[in-house]
Amino acid sequence: MPTTATIRTQIEAALAHKIPSALTPAPKMIRPMAETGIESLDKLLRGGLPIGAISELVGPECSGRTDVALSFVAHLTQASKVCAWIDVSNNFDPASAAAAGVDVARLLWVRCGAVEATVNRPARSFVLPDKYLVPRPAKHGLHGGGFGAHPCGEAKGLSGAVSDLLGPQSFALRRPEPQRRVREERPSFLANDEPAVVTSRRYVSTSKPWGRIEQALGTADLLLQGGGFSAVVLDMAGLAPEFVSRIQLSTWFRYRAAAERTQSSVLLLTQHACAKSSAELLLHLQPAEAIGDEATVFTGIRPHIEIIRQRFIQNASNVVPLRKPPKNVTGATWDCRTAWAGAR
């Protein structure tokens, strides 16, 4: 009678062309970790954030999401690695990032929703006539050391000069209803009468978030497919959950496959979980508590983070205990100090 191992080998050989290793369990995937720089959080996650996967940080405003992302990016850039920050709501502050320890020379900042437009506007020239620039000759009279004309005669011609300076537009008829005021450019004083072209640059932002979301997703797709970035932070924390939740799940699945191929850590900052099963790590942050070390000065916050889902956890030992293991700790708390507060 054949043994169990022989029967197993025969079955796998018969199904090799359809299902390779049909009866062999797949090896457990253990991903490498990258430290976040926060000791309590790294201890909770048993090493840090996973490499080659999507980590999602969910929480309301002022909960410490950006602090975790900046600490993670700072730890990577200090190790001479290149990272990318996709700013959907245009809320990223390079000065705060540099104060948190981020090497901005190794950080790619992508501003979504800000389109640089060039507007060419003709500059209006205004030249004063020479009669207003040439001083009048001195008179030897009452004010010049002797006798002269009456002082009332000095105001002659003043009304005509004022009317020439103001122009006819000041005396135009106006309607009783309110008129729309058009802001005009300041006139430039030129030596000649040739028109000049002034080139001004301004940022035109869209009022709806759909254009910014589409631009951010396209940028993240290009960065992940191209590779070369140790971490890609997709900051959508400033968008309402009803906009972020409409992103198709196939987008996150494509990001997960690209991150696994290029070994990039994708960090997603949102107010509501949207990546679903494509996110290997889901962390939820509660509203942070303000630190009251000083009576009138804000010195920092105390965030609290909890693990909602974590896949591919590496066990400390392969021995199965007979007793029920103690419940694992799923929360961590740390102090986030401001730049002016210093080390405490």
Side-chain angles (χ1 to χ4, degrees):
M1 183 177 181
T3 60
T4 306
T6 305
I7 297 176
R8 177 179 177 179
T9 304
Q10 293 177 358
I11 294 176
E12 289 187 348
L15 300 177
H17 62 285
K18 293 184 178 180
I19 307 176
S21 303
L23 301 180
T24 302
K28 188 175 182 180
M29 182 182 300
I30 303 299
R31 296 189 184 276
M33 298 290 183
E35 297 181 359
T36 61
I38 303 175
E39 184 178 357
S40 59
L41 182 57
D42 292 338
K43 184 179 179 180
L44 176 65
L45 299 176
R46 299 181 183 180
L49 300 181
I51 299 177
I54 299 178
S55 302
E56 190 171 7
L57 271 68
V58 180
E61 297 290 341
C62 300
S63 59
R65 295 165 304 184
T66 308
D67 176 61
V68 177
L70 288 177
S71 179
F72 180 64
V73 172
H75 186 76
L76 292 177
T77 53
Q78 291 175 3
S80 301
K81 296 181 180 180
V82 182
C83 302
W85 192 292
I86 304 176
D87 189 10
V88 182
S89 302
N90 197 15
N91 294 328
F92 181 75
D93 186 15
S96 301
V102 178
D103 187 3
V104 293
R106 296 183 177 272
L107 180 64
L108 175 63
W109 177 26
V110 182
R111 301 175 61 185
C112 299
V115 181
E116 187 176 4
T118 303
V119 181
N120 297 328
R121 297 179 179 177
R124 298 181 179 180
S125 60
F126 178 75
V127 181
L128 290 175
D130 295 338
K131 62 180 181 179
Y132 298 112
L133 301 178
V134 177
R136 299 179 60 182
K139 295 182 178 180
H140 298 281
L142 181 62
H143 301 283
F147 298 96
H150 197 272
C152 295
E154 296 181 357
K156 293 183 178 180
L158 182 61
S159 60
V162 172
S163 61
D164 292 343
L165 290 176
L166 295 179
Q169 63 273 12
S170 301
F171 302 95
L173 298 178
R174 298 181 180 180
R175 298 180 180 180
E177 62 269 9
Q179 301 290 330
R180 182 179 180 182
R181 305 179 65 179
V182 181
R183 185 176 181 180
E184 299 181 356
E185 296 291 337
R186 294 183 178 180
S188 59
F189 296 89
L190 302 176
N192 51 10
D193 296 337
E194 298 179 359
V197 178
V198 178
T199 303
S200 60
R201 298 181 180 273
R202 59 190 179 92
Y203 290 95
V204 182
S205 58
T206 56
S207 58
K208 296 294 183 179
W210 307 118
R212 291 178 289 164
I213 293 176
E214 183 178 359
Q215 185 179 2
L217 296 179
T219 304
D221 204 349
L222 291 176
L223 295 179
L224 292 175
Q225 296 295 338
F229 294 91
S230 298
V232 177
V233 180
L234 184 56
D235 188 2
M236 296 192 297
L239 300 180
E242 55 265 21
F243 299 117
V244 183
S245 59
R246 296 184 61 179
I247 301 176
Q248 299 180 0
L249 296 179
S250 59
T251 303
W252 309 120
F253 181 80
R254 186 172 65 254
Y255 289 173
R256 184 187 68 176
E260 185 176 359
R261 185 179 65 258
T262 58
Q263 289 298 299
S264 300
S265 299
V266 180
L267 193 56
L268 181 60
L269 308 182
T270 56
Q271 298 183 14
H272 182 73
C274 58
K276 305 302 179 182
S277 60
S278 298
E280 183 172 323
L281 179 63
L282 178 58
L283 303 176
H284 182 266
L285 289 96
Q286 298 179 0
E289 177 186 357
I291 300 177
D293 293 340
E294 303 292 341
T296 58
V297 180
F298 176 74
T299 58
I301 59 176
R302 183 174 291 111
H304 180 74
I305 193 169
E306 294 182 358
I307 299 178
I308 304 300
R309 182 177 65 253
Q310 186 178 13
R311 302 166 57 188
F312 309 125
I313 303 177
Q314 184 177 4
N315 297 325
S317 175
N318 295 329
V319 179
V320 179
L322 297 179
R323 297 182 179 180
K324 184 178 180 180
K327 186 177 180 180
N328 296 330
V329 179
T330 60
T333 305
W334 70 95
D335 292 345
C336 177
R337 300 287 180 176
T338 56
W340 57 83
R344 296 296 180 95

